[in-house]
Amino acid sequence: MTELVAPQLVVNSRMIYFGWLPADADAVAALVPDGLTPAPNRQVFMNQYVVDDAGQTSGFGAYSLTYIGPDLFGVDAPDGVTPGRWWTHYFNSSPVVRAYATARGVPATPGKTTIEVRGQRLIATTEADGVPVIRTTARVGRTGDAVNQGQLRYLTRLDGRLHSGNYPFVAEPVDPFAVESVDFLEPDHPVYALRPADPLTVVWGFYSPRASFAYPGGESVLD
């Protein structure tokens, strides 16, 4: 197929996206590369989402993804409030999306994410090479009139240089929403370094059954 070019559009994904304080702040800080600074509280972000049908994308096809990493200091998103973010793990089910992301410095590897909602109980499970490594349990309600919108900023490294990309999004969050547990299931997997503190402290987050965004990849080289 023709090589995909930026930007790419994804609409109406099912997405749970939130952040927490980590169990091992030093381990999280160690994952941030030279030239970038972790958030003072070392908070971690994670996005688990599913794109159910190829018709929801401009070229990616159907896929699922979990990405995770440390929030950063001093490289905020365009709103001047939301921190920039550094991907440490990016578990993606699609070879097409993995190739697109890898070409832009994203650490994309094979993986699968499922999101099951029964009543008010949501369970999101992330697999890496067929092995479950993260499981999120949350209490969710229904969408209302609220809309989350803006642009996020992600940093990558490509050919030894840091790249910055802005990613616009629109999401319809449910209410109520509460993360009840985040279990890291494989202590020997590198992603275990990002596990949450006990007790769990969630610092922000939402679940949306209709989250849309553009995927520009790296837009500029960071000075």
Side-chain angles (χ1 to χ4, degrees):
M1 64 178 292
T2 302
E3 182 179 356
L4 296 177
V5 298
Q8 292 293 321
L9 181 65
V10 177
V11 299
N12 295 335
S13 66
R14 298 183 289 121
M15 174 184 293
I16 180 168
Y17 193 15
F18 61 103
W20 62 78
L21 298 184
D24 190 338
D26 291 340
V28 171
L31 295 172
V32 176
D34 292 341
L36 298 175
T37 304
N41 64 359
R42 307 300 194 255
Q43 69 186 43
V44 173
F45 67 88
M46 182 173 69
N47 191 345
Q48 296 168 293
Y49 73 84
V50 177
V51 180
D52 293 294
D53 187 87
Q56 295 171 238
T57 78
S58 57
F60 281 160
Y63 70 98
S64 65
L65 171 61
T66 294
Y67 62 70
I68 184 172
D71 279 354
L72 302 172
F73 175 77
V75 284
D76 290 343
D79 63 9
V81 176
T82 306
R85 293 174 174 150
W86 176 256
W87 283 303
T88 60
H89 300 82
Y90 187 99
F91 305 112
N92 195 291
S93 66
S94 166
V96 173
V97 183
R98 291 200 301 270
Y100 179 94
T102 298
R104 291 158 177 83
V106 180
T109 58
K112 178 183 177 181
T113 299
T114 59
I115 297 176
E116 298 179 358
V117 179
R118 296 182 180 179
Q120 292 188 321
R121 175 59 58 88
L122 178 150
I123 298 177
T125 304
T126 299
E127 297 180 4
D129 289 319
V131 177
V133 292
I134 305 172
R135 181 169 294 120
T136 301
T137 302
R139 180 169 54 87
V140 298
R142 296 182 178 273
T143 55
D145 296 327
V147 176
N148 295 345
Q149 56 192 206
Q151 294 194 21
L152 300 174
R153 186 182 190 187
Y154 295 101
L155 286 296
T156 63
R157 187 185 294 278
L158 184 64
D159 298 329
R161 307 183 75 181
L162 292 171
H163 289 245
S164 172
N166 293 332
Y167 294 67
F169 72 94
V170 178
E172 300 173 54
V174 302
D175 186 34
F177 169 76
V179 177
E180 297 179 343
S181 64
V182 185
D183 298 311
F184 280 62
L185 307 172
E186 288 292 324
D188 293 332
H189 194 283
V191 79
Y192 191 76
L194 298 164
R195 67 195 183 280
D198 184 12
L200 174 65
T201 302
V202 174
V203 292
W204 61 273
F206 66 86
Y207 169 66
S208 173
R210 291 187 294 275
S212 303
F213 51 92
Y215 224 107
E219 292 184 315
S220 62
V221 176
L222 193 67
D223 293 333

